[in-house]
Amino acid sequence: QVQLVESGGGSVQAGGSLRLSCAASGYTYSTYYMGWFRQAPRKEREGVAVIDSGGSRTYYLDSVKGRFTISRDNAKNILYLQMNSLKVEDTAMYYCAATREARWFLLRPGAFGTWGLGTQVTVSL
């Protein structure tokens, strides 16, 4: 059974850093496109960063470009999101997701069919 488990969330002051991890099991991880998404209270889920199966192509939400970096280790079946210079508006539940859809690069949650349960990131002043 496909399973994604996120970790690494927490509380941090503005300007700080966190690294999220997503451990994948139950399928051929290296054949999937992967992504990080987030959802803040009373807001829709949005795509933060996505990466192709080999790790060579990445796309980011404009507001996180230059601050967040998505990467993957296909030998360990782990997806990462390094978040630097965090802002209060980055506060949200962060989810990792997997897909084989051709439009994976559009950062749309609807293109991803497998989801983890999420990890909370809270940024305070």
Side-chain angles (χ1 to χ4, degrees), residues 27-103:
Y27 66 108
T28 309
Y29 170 74
S30 62
T31 67
Y32 280 75
Y33 306 112
M34 299 294 296
W36 286 101
F37 297 80
R38 68 185 181 188
Q39 188 166 16
R42 298 175 298 280
K43 292 189 176 181
E44 293 187 355
R45 190 169 297 188
E46 65 179 354
V48 175
V50 293
I51 188 167
D52 72 351
S53 57
S56 60
R57 289 181 293 164
T58 58
Y59 298 91
Y60 295 91
L61 182 68
D62 284 347
S63 62
V64 308
K65 286 180 182 177
R67 301 189 297 121
F68 290 12
T69 302
I70 188 172
S71 62
R72 63 191 298 166
D73 185 334
N74 285 348
K76 296 181 179 179
N77 284 12
I78 299 179
L79 176 74
Y80 300 102
L81 184 69
Q82 178 66 45
M83 304 186 295
N84 299 327
S85 302
L86 282 161
K87 303 177 180 180
V88 172
E89 51 264 41
D90 294 320
T91 295
M93 183 72 80
Y94 282 72
Y95 301 89
C96 71
T99 187
R100 284 176 168 164
E101 291 287 335
R103 293 179 292 178

